Amino acid sequence: MRVPVAWLRSYCDPGLSAAEIADVLTMSGIKVERLHRAGVGDPSAFVIGRVLDAERHPNADRLSVCRVDDGSGEPRTIVCGAPNVAGGQTVAVARPGAVMPDGTELGEAKLRGVRSSGMILAEDELGIGTDHSGILVLEEDGLPPGTPLAEALAIADELIEVEITPNRPDAMGVYGVARDVHAVTGAPLAEDPTAFDVEPAGADRAEEHAHVEIADTEVCLRFTARVFEDVEVGPSPPWLKQRLMAAGQRPISNVVDITNYVMLTCGQPLHAFDLDEVRGSRIVVRRAREDEAMTTLDGVERRFSSDVALVCDSEGPSGIAGVMGGQVSEVSAKTTRVLMEAATWVGPNIMRTSRALGLRTEASARFEKGLHPELAMAGQRLAARLMVELCGARLVPGTLDAYPRPVAPRRVKLRLGRIGSLLGEPMPEDEVHTVLERLGFEVAPDGSGRLAAVVPPSRDGDVQREADLIEEVARIHGLDRLPATLPARRRAVGRLRPAQRLRRRLEDALRDRGLSEVVAYSFTSPSALDRLRVDPADALAIRNPLSEEGSVMRPLLLPGLLDAARHNAAHGRPGLRLFESAHVYAAAGAGEGGDGSDPVQMAEAAPRGALPARERHHLAGLLTEAAPSTWRAEARVADFYAARGLVEALLAIAGVEWRAEPGARPFLHPGRSATVRGAADGRELGWIGELHPLVAREWEVPAAAAFELDADAIDELEPDRGQDGYRDLTSFPAVVQDIAIVVDEGISAARIEAAVRAGAGDLLRSVRIFDLYRGEQLGAGRKSLALRLEFRAPDRTLTDAEVAARRSEIEAALAEIGGALRA
Amino acid sequence: MAEPAAKRRLEELGAEAEAAVAATGAASELEDVRVRYLGRRSELTAALRSIGDLPAEERGAVGQAANAVRVRLEEMIAERVASLEADELERRLEQDRVDVTLLGDPAFPTGHLHLVSEIRRELEDVFVGLGFTVLEGPEVEYEYYNFTALNHPPSHPARLPQDTFYLSDRVLLRTHTSPMQVRAMEAGGPPIYVVVPGRVYRPDTPDATHVPMFHQLEGLAIDEDITLGDLRGVLLEFARAVFGPSRQVRLRPGYFPFTEPSVEVDVSCFVCDGTGAVGSERCPTCKGEAWIEILGAGMVDPNVLGYVEDSGYDPERVQGFAFGMGIERIAMLKYGVPDLRMLWENDVRLLEQFGA
Ligand SMILES: [Zn+2]
């Protein structure tokens, strides 16, 4: 909202600069976005002048050559193109060098051979109106030539642009803003401009001219209307035009300008009907019928849903309630009878309508914040005064007032002690008193540390409880004056939970092994899941996605990594090593989502800690390169074992015993993928594998290996990791034996190791496969593995005989899986 | 007494051998010399062996002379061996010289944490230091936790599908980390000091300053006597830890449905040191305002406590503050990231700039 500073000062002038006023507002709750100037440059170049005489230009029919007394002694010659210029007029003159509102500087110029020294101004040229039909002719009013123009007209103004929070509809009017300035600075506040009404005239009654009715009380809290007769529609006086212009409203005609002016003053939007065009002289407020249509003031035909509230006459809609009037009963130059509407609409309904129609107006911006019904009559009073004063209108006695449920003033109690205990600094009772009174509250102390405050209607929506009153006191006192203290801590200790520490360790491990972390959108497209051979129907779908691209919640992290890989590969950056650490999502299964009942129904009441979906924290990596190339080594392409090595490292850090089982996911190479399972209970922890070549091709990514682990599952497996305590470092020497065995291709390393361990018994401390060999002399379908075995006893040095005995046991165990020791 | 001829011969032999040792250029030649003069068939060995054949009065002198020659020769050879080996090592080392300016074998080039993770961890650590525990929570959330229990009336515009992603009538993607305030209080009574980092979602069409997914960090402190002054103190510590030791914070009135009083918190600009100007130019970071809006906060609204009253949060007995900040906003401010969309593009050229 634009607040013209001169207008603001007319209600409360704290003797501060505009910048200082802006600071006051920002620090008391009306955030100033911008401070700027409007109107002309240096006002001293603009003066009152008198046209001494005006003669036709010798070389141009449409121009006049005027001699103008501008108070400088010597009359100046000004060539003027306005048709209405004439000798004797009091006019606005810009001297050469003047800077116009659009920023152009006025120079001396020769017009068709006559030197023109200055300019006689029209109101649009001064930025105080829109009229360009002729020069602005001023009332004489005893203003001698040479008087600064600024004394007669507000030709330059400072503007404060403010952002009003939804709880402050009172600040959507200049007077409301002035009240905050008054409350903070204590500078006197002018009487409320809506306080006075005007005496009606005549013996008729408003009820005889028109009828109003609220047919739907869910959209309208109050509908008031007054009737004006003998209205003379015409231009508004300069002061009114200037205030509207400064506030960003275009002057239209006195009647329309009055509605806007009242709104800008006190925040209550009004609407003026040409009463003769109100069909049936009858106004009914109701909701639209589905698909009902109307042409609004902006000339657009609009269709409505049945949620939209309409102001109708006896033949149909004549305005969208609280948003914009219709053309049908618009005030025109011919209007003589006006029905002035001031209504109170239900804020959320106006907001929905405004959003649905994509039509946000000055009126809707105010109504959507929720106005108090009392404000409607305040607006009527100010409007009536101006209608009589500026349009020569007669106010017909009586106000048509449909107000089905009158709202009583609200009283709120405040314990003074609560202020200090909430803010951290006590506040003297008289300051509390003063602040609340300045804000328009009626305050009654009860002498025992409490007071009762009657809330002014304009603040009713925001101030309903003790805490709200404390906020009022605090914001005017100055939140920034509060002390900076630290909580007196009790019991609580700050820390990361073990699961959080573990996750950081795992992320760091990947980072230190050359992987860079990506952050990808949590949502993906069903087609992306299709490309992974994952059924999109199983993923949680967003009802109102921004696009199909982000319409389902991802059930695994891989698509984000693939997107990142594609992006980088497409930009010529090979050798990718990426990871992500984030949630994945699935529908809550039975037993989840609370007690297993339908999560949707559940949440009607308090869900009491239930989770609406199954969310897990995953850790996934993708590599196209196992090791980068250097000047003396080729890059190594990432394969299954590169990914597996990372999983080994991660699970070793987590202290998890695990095993890999062949085959895993449809998007992986069927022969080069594995499911990762916990050794203890076989619980699935994730997968490892090379991307299926078709998947890689469809995603336009290079061949890559990847893994994805369920970090939550890992954490659940090992809740007391690292707490095994000290283990004795035995000093008895180990016996190391290397053996080579030949087995069928189909026998996995895990089975061989299991056989070796079974045969070796508990003297075997470790077994490691250090070579794999295939060759003709082994025969087709056979492979040879070299194993290094370490035997050790905790209590003695092993003898050769003991080890030899174990070796033959191992041989026997291997024979069972078709293996033989190689010589 | 005339010297025996045998002794003279030994001395000649000694001199000859010394010359031969000195003339050697390699350890292998030296071995030849050793065999020639000290070997089993050498003249010296023969001389020592035949001492017994000499007249008795010559035996002592010749024997001593022969031993002296042998000892000296052995010493000389040892010295010569050492010197030759040293020369050879030096030569070999010289040949082994490498170009030290070539890159070393990478142990493994370190990767990077995402900028958002890096900042998130920094914030977590600051608040852990201030006594807060770190919590996380679900991103798919009930409307109840996201809005209702946070004192958003049923008609609140933030509930509209224009501002919130919905999965069903009552289930949505959380629009802020604040629902964890209620979940945390339900899970345990006061006192409570927690921060909650995490992803949040709003259906904003992406542009330089809006993305439909971003990260927040929520804070909540409830105890018997937490004040707005405590909020100010905690946020001052936070601002100084994250933006530099001379920072100030400024509290302005704000509006949030779930806090009362509500405040907007500004931090003095760390680029222009709160002056609004860099040299003679307007400061680009704070746009000349000297303050930067950094987060929203306030005292937890009694209505919110009312929703968890049976977990021990009687609004007449306990009170506290809550705050919420955008992690990306801090990234943009602190590191000058110009466009939020870049953060989720995952271009390695950007990833590699942070989080090493
Ligand atoms: Zn700055």
Side-chain angles (χ1 to χ4, degrees):
Chain A
M1 190 180 80
R2 278 165 68 158
V3 179
V5 175
W7 189 355
L8 180 69
R9 286 188 200 279
S10 74
Y11 299 135
C12 180
D13 186 356
L16 300 173
S17 70
E20 287 165 332
I21 293 175
D23 253 4
V24 164
L25 292 175
T26 293
M27 296 308 288
S28 60
I30 298 177
K31 172 82 196 298
V32 173
E33 298 281 280
R34 213 152 73 91
L35 181 62
H36 55 108
R37 286 178 53 88
V40 303
D42 180 2
S44 67
F46 296 83
V47 294
I48 301 277
R50 180 155 296 118
V51 182
L52 300 176
D53 48 49
E55 285 170 8
R56 219 179 68 184
H57 191 293
N59 305 321
D61 285 349
R62 299 236 175 112
L63 297 179
S64 305
V65 178
C66 311
R67 284 194 315 127
V68 178
D69 176 5
D70 72 344
S72 58
E74 195 71 8
R76 60 176 65 233
T77 304
I78 297 176
V79 177
C80 180
N84 63 331
V85 68
Q89 286 171 337
T90 300
V91 293
V93 174
R95 290 172 172 158
V99 177
M100 307 305 288
D102 64 4
T104 57
E105 187 178 326
L106 193 63
E108 294 212 12
K110 258 191 182 174
L111 290 172
R112 300 255 176 152
V114 178
R115 176 166 295 280
S116 179
S117 169
M119 189 168 169
I120 302 174
L121 300 160
E123 67 176 30
D124 71 325
E125 289 161 339
L126 281 166
I128 58 168
T130 53
D131 189 1
H132 192 67
S133 61
I135 55 162
L136 180 62
V137 180
L138 303 170
E139 308 273 329
E140 202 166 332
D141 267 356
L143 294 169
T147 306
L149 185 61
E151 288 180 19
L153 295 171
I155 54 171
D157 204 348
E158 287 161 310
L159 299 174
I160 296 176
E161 286 212 34
V162 295
E163 183 194 309
I164 307 294
T165 51
N167 59 326
R168 293 295 306 276
D170 64 295
M172 294 292 279
V174 177
Y175 188 75
V177 176
R179 188 178 277 289
D180 267 17
V181 175
H182 161 68
V184 175
T185 64
L189 179 69
E191 197 104 41
D192 185 343
T194 66
F196 306 104
D197 212 339
V198 72
E199 278 301 310
D204 50 349
R205 298 282 307 166
E207 290 82 353
E208 297 158 24
H209 295 263
H211 175 78
V212 303
E213 180 194 333
I214 300 174
D216 188 336
T217 55
E218 290 192 357
V219 296
C220 185
L221 302 177
R222 187 178 196 180
F223 194 101
T224 71
R226 282 181 166 186
V227 177
F228 297 89
E229 299 240 296
D230 310 327
V231 177
E232 291 165 31
V233 176
S236 294
W239 68 265
L240 177 51
K241 285 186 182 178
Q242 188 275 332
R243 282 190 171 178
L244 293 181
M245 291 285 286
Q249 287 271 326
R250 205 180 146 77
I252 292 164
S253 69
N254 49 9
V255 174
V256 176
D257 292 353
I258 285 168
T259 63
N260 285 325
Y261 179 76
V262 170
M263 173 182 74
L264 293 169
T265 301
C266 69
Q268 170 71 48
L270 304 178
H271 183 70
F273 295 90
D274 183 332
L275 184 49
D276 290 325
E277 302 297 328
V278 176
R279 296 160 292 189
S281 301
R282 180 184 168 81
I283 297 284
V284 180
V285 174
R286 61 166 170 83
R287 284 202 226 212
R289 301 182 183 102
E290 197 66 41
D291 250 10
E292 201 167 1
M294 187 194 80
T295 303
T296 40
L297 280 174
D298 54 4
V300 178
E301 173 163 332
R302 298 175 190 275
R303 294 199 165 270
F304 312 115
S305 74
S306 59
D307 187 42
V308 172
L310 296 178
V311 178
C312 305
D313 59 23
S314 57
E315 286 176 34
S318 60
I320 310 170
V323 180
M324 189 179 273
Q327 280 184 334
V328 55
S329 43
E330 191 181 353
V331 170
S332 71
K334 298 181 305 230
T335 301
T336 59
R337 295 172 71 227
V338 166
L339 183 75
M340 188 67 78
E341 162 201 326
T344 310
W345 306 102
V346 171
N349 177 268
I350 299 299
M351 181 173 300
R352 283 196 304 272
T353 298
S354 156
R355 288 206 181 203
L357 297 175
L359 186 61
R360 197 157 189 274
T361 60
E362 291 282 336
S364 74
R366 288 169 172 81
F367 283 124
E368 71 184 20
K369 291 184 164 67
L371 299 181
H372 193 280
E374 281 303 314
L375 201 59
M377 279 313 296
Q380 289 287 15
R381 289 191 291 269
L382 177 56
R385 262 171 53 207
L386 294 169
M387 287 294 288
V388 169
E389 212 172 282
L390 305 180
C391 311
R394 173 174 76 88
L395 171 62
V396 173
T399 301
L400 304 173
D401 188 0
Y403 191 13
R405 292 186 296 266
V407 179
R410 189 187 299 275
R411 300 172 71 83
V412 181
K413 288 209 172 68
L414 172 62
R415 291 165 289 179
L416 290 163
R418 286 291 283 174
I419 299 177
S421 66
L422 205 64
L423 302 182
E425 184 182 65
M427 210 157 297
E429 180 167 357
D430 54 352
E431 185 183 348
V432 175
H433 214 269
T434 305
V435 165
L436 289 177
E437 278 188 340
R438 283 179 185 166
L439 288 173
F441 292 82
E442 276 175 44
V443 184
D446 78 347
S448 63
R450 291 160 184 261
L451 53 81
V454 180
V455 180
S458 63
R459 304 304 315 284
D460 186 81
D462 187 37
V463 183
Q464 308 192 341
R465 303 161 305 167
E466 184 178 55
D468 305 327
L469 274 182
I470 293 174
E471 177 175 59
E472 290 304 299
V473 173
R475 72 179 181 89
I476 299 302
H477 169 77
L479 290 169
D480 210 40
R481 288 164 59 192
L482 297 178
T485 53
L486 288 175
R489 304 299 320 284
R490 296 182 190 86
R491 275 167 40 199
V493 168
R495 63 185 169 81
L496 290 179
R497 289 184 295 119
Q500 292 162 339
R501 284 202 300 273
L502 173 64
R503 205 186 308 137
R504 280 198 187 187
R505 273 280 280 125
L506 299 179
E507 290 163 358
D508 285 347
L510 290 172
R511 190 257 313 263
D512 294 344
R513 281 164 180 76
L515 279 72
S516 287
E517 187 191 10
V518 303
V519 173
Y521 280 118
S522 305
F523 21 73
T524 185
S525 65
S527 62
L529 296 180
D530 271 336
R531 284 194 305 249
L532 290 177
R533 285 83 173 134
V534 171
D535 187 356
D538 295 339
L540 288 175
I542 299 171
R543 272 187 183 177
N544 56 329
L546 286 175
S547 70
E548 192 268 347
E549 284 299 295
S551 58
V552 292
M553 301 305 287
R554 55 182 178 173
L556 74 172
L557 297 181
L558 185 63
L561 290 167
L562 287 170
D563 282 341
R566 178 176 46 199
H567 171 88
N568 285 292
H571 290 77
R573 288 182 284 279
L576 296 166
R577 296 171 65 85
L578 304 169
F579 79 97
E580 184 169 13
S581 172
H583 287 199
V584 300
Y585 316 83
E592 291 165 320
D595 48 9
S597 58
D598 177 8
V600 171
Q601 282 183 1
M602 275 267 322
E604 293 289 350
R608 302 303 306 182
L611 298 172
R614 184 178 149 82
E615 258 176 81
R616 307 289 287 178
H617 196 104
H618 276 201
L619 197 58
L622 178 132
L623 5 159
T624 62
E625 201 171 74
S629 68
T630 69
W631 55 271
R632 60 176 184 169
E634 299 274 309
R636 273 197 301 123
V637 171
D639 60 6
F640 175 86
Y641 295 105
R644 185 181 154 121
L646 291 169
V647 170
E648 286 165 6
L650 293 176
L651 293 175
I653 287 167
V656 169
E657 297 282 331
W658 64 285
R659 63 174 190 263
E661 288 177 0
R665 295 290 191 282
F667 46 82
L668 297 175
H669 184 309
R672 296 190 171 192
S673 55
T675 300
V676 177
R677 292 190 186 280
D681 59 359
R683 182 201 304 223
E684 185 167 324
L685 302 178
W687 52 262
I688 313 168
E690 292 176 20
L691 276 190
H692 196 293
L694 294 178
V695 171
R697 196 168 71 197
E698 284 175 48
W699 280 82
E700 295 163 21
V701 297
F707 67 88
E708 183 152 344
L709 296 176
D710 183 335
D712 288 334
I714 290 170
D715 179 61
E716 287 154 13
L717 273 186
E718 284 290 292
D720 49 13
R721 173 176 315 105
Q723 301 193 356
D724 291 346
Y726 170 75
R727 246 179 313 202
D728 187 35
L729 308 173
T730 175
S731 53
F732 293 97
V735 175
V736 174
Q737 293 239 322
D738 288 352
I739 61 171
I741 62 164
V742 179
V743 290
D744 283 346
E745 274 291 355
I747 306 296
S748 70
R751 280 185 70 191
I752 292 166
E753 189 185 323
V756 167
R757 283 190 183 278
D762 57 7
L763 291 179
L764 181 68
R765 305 317 307 214
S766 73
V767 49
R768 185 166 69 83
I769 294 168
F770 66 92
D771 193 31
L772 171 66
Y773 171 77
R774 295 180 178 91
E776 275 174 28
Q777 68 268 46
L778 295 176
R782 301 278 281 173
K783 62 184 177 185
S784 168
L785 289 94
L787 284 73
R788 178 155 298 170
L789 313 179
E790 188 189 327
F791 296 92
R792 198 170 59 195
D795 54 353
R796 65 188 189 280
T797 300
L798 291 175
T799 64
D800 288 349
E802 278 178 296
V803 174
R806 295 301 173 189
R807 217 181 131 109
S808 51
E809 293 288 332
I810 291 171
E811 202 165 349
L814 285 171
E816 281 176 32
I817 56 169
L821 282 189
R822 238 179 130 199
Chain B
M1 193 182 74
E3 276 188 346
K7 191 179 167 217
R8 269 201 318 278
R9 176 60 198 148
L10 280 171
E11 277 158 9
E12 280 169 26
L13 196 63
E16 192 188 311
E18 279 173 35
V21 167
T24 53
S28 55
E29 291 172 34
L30 204 58
E31 180 60 15
D32 293 345
V33 173
R34 197 190 60 77
V35 170
R36 182 151 25 105
Y37 292 99
L38 293 173
R40 277 184 297 141
R41 292 179 196 165
S42 69
E43 202 181 335
L44 184 63
T45 307
L48 280 163
R49 242 185 246 131
S50 59
I51 281 175
D53 300 340
L54 289 174
E57 69 277 13
E58 287 184 20
R59 281 182 200 160
V62 172
Q64 277 176 7
N67 258 323
V69 169
R70 186 178 58 90
V71 167
R72 219 176 78 242
L73 217 50
E74 281 173 348
E75 278 172 7
M76 277 188 66
I77 289 172
E79 268 170 41
R80 191 62 187 156
V81 166
S83 136
L84 286 175
E85 277 176 357
D87 287 352
E88 258 167 54
L89 179 60
E90 207 160 300
R91 221 163 26 242
R92 205 168 63 233
L93 292 182
E94 184 55 37
Q95 285 163 1
D96 287 350
R97 185 177 290 278
V98 298
D99 179 355
V100 298
T101 63
L102 280 174
L103 285 184
D105 286 355
F108 210 96
T110 311
H112 302 261
L113 289 185
H114 195 279
L115 176 58
V116 165
S117 286
E118 184 173 54
I119 295 172
R120 186 185 121 148
R121 287 191 183 186
E122 183 183 355
L123 298 177
E124 286 174 354
D125 292 347
V126 166
F127 285 106
V128 162
L130 284 164
F132 289 75
T133 297
V134 180
L135 285 186
E136 284 143 309
E139 296 163 19
V140 177
E141 187 53 284
Y142 286 113
E143 191 185 36
Y144 173 84
Y145 286 114
N146 198 79
F147 292 126
T148 309
L150 290 171
N151 200 33
H152 286 65
S155 61
H156 195 282
R159 292 177 181 253
L160 293 174
Q162 286 94 326
D163 285 336
T164 301
F165 286 118
Y166 280 91
L167 304 186
S168 71
D169 287 346
R170 302 286 167 194
V171 177
L172 44 76
L173 297 185
R174 67 177 175 189
T175 60
H176 46 184
T177 40
S178 311
M180 274 304 287
Q181 287 186 26
V182 184
R183 285 186 179 272
M185 288 190 283
E186 275 183 354
I192 186 170
Y193 295 82
V194 294
V195 290
V196 186
R199 294 185 178 199
V200 302
Y201 305 87
R202 292 183 197 169
D204 289 328
T205 305
D207 63 25
T209 54
H210 296 87
V211 277
M213 176 187 92
F214 53 102
H215 296 75
Q216 285 186 335
L217 182 123
E218 189 84 5
L220 176 73
I222 307 274
D223 209 333
E224 287 166 15
D225 51 5
I226 301 280
T227 67
L228 197 57
D230 292 340
L231 169 66
R232 183 169 185 183
V234 165
L235 293 178
L236 182 64
E237 294 301 325
F238 145 75
R240 290 182 173 176
V242 174
F243 295 107
S246 57
R247 299 280 66 80
Q248 297 293 333
V249 295
R250 183 173 87 162
L251 266 51
R252 288 184 284 110
Y255 172 70
F256 307 103
F258 44 105
T259 48
E260 187 80 14
S262 297
V263 297
E264 299 277 1
V265 182
D266 301 335
V267 60
S268 61
C269 179
F270 52 89
V271 171
C272 61
D273 207 17
T275 60
V278 176
S280 57
E281 299 288 310
R282 196 178 76 150
C283 171
T285 301
C286 63
K287 312 265 185 298
E289 299 205 339
W291 295 94
I292 301 169
E293 191 171 318
I294 203 87
L295 59 88
M299 299 302 286
V300 175
D301 194 288
N303 291 358
V304 174
L305 296 177
Y307 279 97
V308 288
E309 198 164 341
D310 54 6
S311 299
Y313 294 86
D314 175 358
E316 284 294 310
R317 270 197 44 252
V318 295
Q319 58 189 41
F321 62 72
F323 58 84
M325 66 183 83
I327 293 179
E328 286 78 5
R329 172 146 180 83
I330 293 173
M332 293 184 99
L333 287 172
K334 229 181 137 170
Y335 298 97
V337 176
D339 188 328
L340 278 181
R341 288 168 295 189
M342 295 170 73
L343 290 176
W344 311 157
E345 220 171 57
N346 298 315
D347 192 306
V348 291
R349 293 170 307 172
L350 183 72
L351 299 178
E352 285 168 1
Q353 290 178 31
F354 305 103

